[in-house]
Amino acid sequence: MPEAGAERCVGSALFGKHVSLVYDADEEFRDLLTGFAARAVAAGHRVVLFLDADSADLGRALAAALPDAAPGQFTALRYRSRAGLAGADGGTSQTGAATFGEGLFGVQELLAAFTRLRDEAFAAGYSGISLAVQMLWTQRAGFTPTDLLAYETRVNRFFGDPRVTGLCLYDGRHFAKELLARIGAVHPGPLLRFTLGGWGAHLRLTGQLDASNVGSLPSILDLVAEADSVVLLDASELEFVDAAGAGTIVRFAASRPHRHTVVRCARGVRQALQLVGAEAVPSLVLRDGVAGV
């Protein structure tokens, strides 16, 4: 399930990750957003919040709570779907509040909005971009559970850029616990960071891979599963992996019998992989870890 508790995920350690949180009180939600936005502004990031239709006052309060934000650095967008209101490019409604969601606004449109905001932020010289989404608006937009799971899975690729941070906030009073558990399973969580890029089909894992986030690993590996080349899984900065995580990596390599999966890792991770059968998979190659290579 997405994590609970503001104190666990609003610090600078969140940067470069894709995390979901559940809140059960409006005050907790405000604290989460305020902490997230303040730290991102202090880090020099472009900060954009996607809020529900009823959160106009919250957006103004957050702007007032960020006196150090440079002009244009912070934007709170409020969901409005009726004709005549602006879409996700940060237009304004008749009340002057920045809005998104005009017309048909589904998974593809949201991801396109993220991409546009990211490109504009980097073109403007920001060192990173931090996006927070109050997911309650998706119920107004008609998102189904399938839509939410598709979004959470597909957006992992977008947040594979270490300069991009994502926080998805779910109101536990309005989303079913079973759905929240399924959504949490596709999030890496605060302990695991992944990055796409580099040589070939290159995926880098850092942090810890354990029971709290191992459910997200298949969707992360899916990002490179169809690569018609060698896959390099750089786990040289992975501090810990449990048996379930190691088994997922071994099964991934076994699913690509005609293409090598090279795992660069330290001794502890290597031993975990060997314990769950790495040596029985010819396409899996283990290499000593050299962090950052």
Side-chain angles (χ1 to χ4, degrees):
M1 164 176 298
E3 300 208 19
E7 72 283 354
R8 297 182 61 181
C9 295
V10 295
S12 59
L14 172 63
F15 293 152
K17 298 178 183 178
H18 173 211
V19 175
S20 68
L21 294 176
V22 174
Y23 62 92
D24 295 307
D26 293 343
E27 182 177 354
E28 180 185 12
F29 171 63
R30 288 192 298 270
D31 288 346
L32 279 166
L33 275 185
T34 302
F36 175 82
R39 286 165 175 80
V41 165
H45 288 197
R46 174 79 164 93
V47 184
V48 183
L49 310 183
F50 289 75
L51 303 177
D52 185 48
D54 293 335
S55 297
D57 290 343
L58 173 61
R60 288 189 286 269
L62 285 167
L66 299 171
D68 295 331
Q73 185 179 5
F74 170 81
T75 302
L77 301 174
R78 183 165 57 98
Y79 178 72
R80 294 292 295 273
S81 63
R82 289 190 289 275
L85 298 178
D89 57 358
T92 57
S93 69
Q94 295 175 347
T95 64
T99 61
F100 72 98
E102 182 181 12
L104 177 64
F105 197 79
V107 174
Q108 188 61 39
E109 289 76 21
L110 183 58
L111 294 177
F114 285 175
T115 300
R116 181 167 59 254
L117 288 165
R118 177 199 63 193
D119 294 346
E120 290 173 353
F122 294 157
Y126 289 100
S127 61
I129 181 168
S130 292
L131 302 166
V133 185
Q134 181 186 14
M135 299 303 294
L136 191 59
W137 72 265
T138 62
Q139 295 187 339
R140 299 180 189 271
F143 276 44
T144 66
T146 299
D147 292 331
L148 284 173
L149 289 166
Y151 157 73
E152 294 288 3
T153 300
R154 291 175 59 188
V155 82
N156 270 335
R157 180 177 292 276
F158 177 79
F159 290 117
D161 185 330
R163 300 170 297 175
V164 180
T165 299
L167 178 62
C168 299
L169 292 159
Y170 286 88
D171 190 333
R173 299 165 294 186
H174 293 277
F175 291 92
K177 290 183 179 180
E178 180 182 356
L179 175 60
L180 291 174
R182 295 173 64 192
I183 288 170
V186 301
H187 279 77
L191 294 179
L192 178 66
R193 177 177 299 182
F194 71 98
T195 305
L196 287 167
W199 168 82
H202 182 181
L203 186 65
R204 177 175 294 148
L205 301 177
T206 64
Q208 300 176 23
L209 184 56
D210 56 25
S212 71
N213 54 29
V214 70
S216 69
L217 187 57
S219 65
I220 295 173
L221 293 174
D222 280 347
L223 301 177
V224 293
E226 297 183 3
D228 189 24
S229 63
V230 172
V231 167
L232 173 60
L233 180 59
D234 184 355
S236 56
E237 296 181 5
L238 192 63
E239 301 167 6
F240 172 81
V241 59
D242 66 8
T248 299
I249 293 171
V250 170
R251 288 191 296 275
F252 170 78
S255 72
R256 306 175 71 254
H258 304 297
R259 294 288 185 273
H260 282 113
T261 298
V262 179
V263 179
R264 183 177 290 145
C265 56
R267 179 200 282 184
V269 173
R270 175 191 286 266
Q271 290 176 338
L273 294 169
Q274 291 172 333
L275 285 171
V276 298
E279 295 176 346
V281 180
S283 60
L284 178 56
V285 180
L286 304 182
R287 293 282 184 258
D288 290 338
V290 181
V293 177

